[in-house]
Amino acid sequence: MRKYLTIVNKENKIKPNYLKNIKLVTLKDIDKEDTLLEEETAKSYKKLRDFLRKKGIEIGLYGYYRTIDYQQKLKERFVQQYGEEYANQIVAPPGRSEHHTGLAIDLSIKIDGQYDKNNNEINKHIKNYQAIVPYLSQYGFILRYPKGKEDITGYPYEPWHIRYVGKIPAQIMYENNWTLEEYLRDFSAILYVNKPAGITSFDVVNQISEIYGIKKVGHTGTLDPLAEGVLIVTIGKATKVAELITAEDKEYKAGVLLGVETDTLDITGKVIKSKPVDLSKDIEKIVNSYQKTYMQEVPIYSAIKVKGKKLYEYARKGEKVELPKKEVTVKKIKLLSSDNDTFIIKALVTKGCYIRSLIRDIGRSLDTYATMTTLTRTKQGTIDIKQTNTLEEFIKGKGILHGIDEILDLPIIIVDKEEERKIKNGQKMPNKYHINNKVIFKNKNNKILGIYKVEKDMLRVWKNF
């Protein structure tokens, strides 16, 4: 999806790699001549054309993929006909035209049996072009150069020029009245993802990045490939507040197999220790005894660094290393069920607690070994697994996007234009609002400007948006 949000304009030249990898297909233009469009753009254009045809609107291709050489000749022709000043306003320099991407289309609408073939004809029928704008996002298109956004796009209003960006980004841009530049600059969200087992947290981040076409994506607490459940993903400016979300307690449901211990402390690893299980042991009593604060040994298959190297690097090379211990708190723990040498627990733990290590320790307290077989993060902070969406739901555009202020339990203050100016400049503010810790400032359009924190009798910028 990210390739569909490629920016090509007066400041951004088309990249050679893009031109090498673009897949073009042939379509007929309004004169029934062969033209080229990027493959997905062509498919979506056909669907849009067929939809509009049912509504009695006939559209055709008037502008499509252009080579850099073609753009050079086009620019020269416009300079000759209209002068350099006018040509520079409406014709992009070679290498800086959206039409090089194969994602941009100049539409022509058939009026009284004839397609519009120049700007004058289009301007006479401008209402016809404006009438199709509400339908564009349903097929992944945006109006690329809308009225009132000239300072942002660098081009005057072009009611005929549409651009393929993908269905989900197009819908977000239409709902927010954003240009492509504004979307890439301003779109931010927090996603509650129900991570499936079998993929890494990084895989989830990559998929979300592809869905929304945004490079800046992160998460707030790694889940191993074996694990599933709540993974909070941040997009755009929301990545700035990840540390506040990461600090929350987490709740897990885990399956346990007694009698064996693996090198990874979970069922995916190699068995390194085994011991018969004494089934007369009171599992529930031992499990309940771990509702406490204690020093937990970090598993060797983890990203914790010792002497500048991650522990898993020592493990993979078979090198011995003294494993560090960290203080962790198990706030709540409960035995949900047990069956001979297997059982299931639910535990609410503080940040930094490894459930694999907790299970190892429980096994040793039972005078045997224990290995984690399954793991589901059922809650992170106040976010319950019932509030999450699957990756498939996000792919279909049905996943819920949450705002920064929605997940952060902080007071919100709407400021006037003068205060907005000060916040944008990162100036300190008097604490006339009697804030105790942090506060979110918004403008009258409900846009987050920044998060400030208390410093003596003043409010100082903590995160500026």
Side-chain angles (χ1 to χ4, degrees), residues 160-178:
W160 60 85
H161 185 119
I162 67 173
R163 159 71 188 267
Y164 185 72
V165 294
K167 192 177 292 186
I168 293 174
Q171 290 171 347
I172 294 171
M173 287 184 230
Y174 180 68
E175 290 167 3
N176 288 279
N177 190 30
W178 281 341

Side-chain angles (χ1 to χ4, degrees), residues 65-252:
Y65 170 74
R66 297 174 189 162
T67 65
I68 293 177
D69 287 342
Y70 180 92
Q71 189 70 19
Q72 178 67 46
K73 292 174 183 177
L74 180 67
K75 183 70 178 285
E76 291 171 356
R77 187 167 74 245
F78 266 73
V79 170
Q80 290 176 357
Q81 290 180 331
Y82 304 106
E84 190 167 350
E85 183 177 350
Y86 179 74
N88 287 338
Q89 290 178 9
I90 63 170
V91 181
R96 301 180 188 274
S97 169
E98 271 214 328
H99 287 286
H100 296 324
T101 66
L103 306 172
I105 295 172
D106 288 337
L107 290 179
S108 179
I109 297 180
K110 186 181 281 188
I111 309 291
D112 297 328
Q114 298 291 325
Y115 282 108
D116 290 332
K117 289 194 173 182
N118 58 57
N119 291 3
N120 290 333
E121 291 176 359
I122 290 171
N123 287 328
K124 287 180 183 178
H125 307 130
I126 196 166
K127 289 184 179 179
N128 298 76
Y129 291 83
Q130 292 171 338
I132 70 172
V133 171
Y135 307 116
L136 295 178
S137 63
Q138 298 174 33
Y139 298 91
F141 291 98
I142 59 169
L143 183 66
R144 183 64 180 94
Y145 304 124
K147 185 176 288 187
K149 302 279 189 171
E150 292 84 355
D151 290 344
I152 297 170
T153 64
Y155 288 98
Y157 173 45
E158 293 187 359
W160 60 85
H161 185 119
I162 67 173
R163 159 71 188 267
Y164 185 72
V165 294
K167 192 177 292 186
I168 293 174
Q171 290 171 347
I172 294 171
M173 287 184 230
Y174 180 68
E175 290 167 3
N176 288 279
N177 190 30
W178 281 341
T179 63
L180 179 54
E181 286 85 356
E182 290 172 302
Y183 175 78
L184 293 174
R185 182 190 70 198
D186 295 335
F187 175 59
S188 67
I190 298 172
L191 282 55
Y192 307 157
V193 182
N194 190 344
K195 175 194 169 296
I199 63 174
T200 67
S201 299
F202 187 67
D203 292 331
V204 174
V205 165
N206 278 341
Q207 287 195 47
I208 295 298
S209 179
E210 279 296 314
I211 292 167
Y212 295 97
I214 302 293
K215 290 182 180 179
K216 198 171 185 179
V217 179
H219 66 79
T220 64
T222 301
L223 283 173
D224 293 333
L226 171 72
E228 57 188 8
V230 181
L231 183 69
I232 299 178
V233 176
T234 55
I235 302 177
K237 295 176 181 178
T239 57
K240 292 185 176 184
V241 300
E243 62 193 89
L244 286 183
I245 306 168
T246 306
E248 298 286 357
D249 296 339
K250 300 177 179 71
E251 181 186 79
Y252 295 92

Side-chain angles (χ1 to χ4, degrees), residues 256-261 265 273-278 281-283 286-287 289-290 294 333 341 343 345 355-372:
V256 181
L257 173 65
L258 290 172
V260 296
E261 185 176 302
L265 302 183
K273 297 175 183 177
S274 63
K275 190 175 184 178
V277 179
D278 183 354
K281 294 283 186 180
D282 190 338
I283 295 176
I286 295 298
V287 166
S289 72
Y290 274 85
Y294 78 108
I333 190 166
D341 60 352
F343 61 89
I345 60 171
I355 302 300
R356 288 177 288 152
S357 297
L358 173 62
I359 288 169
R360 173 202 60 203
D361 299 339
I362 291 172
R364 291 176 180 177
S365 293
L366 287 165
D367 194 29
T368 185
Y369 299 112
T371 291
M372 186 177 76

Side-chain angles (χ1 to χ4, degrees), residues 55-70:
K55 288 188 164 292
I57 303 171
E58 192 72 33
I59 63 171
L61 291 171
Y62 183 54
Y64 22 82
Y65 170 74
R66 297 174 189 162
T67 65
I68 293 177
D69 287 342
Y70 180 92

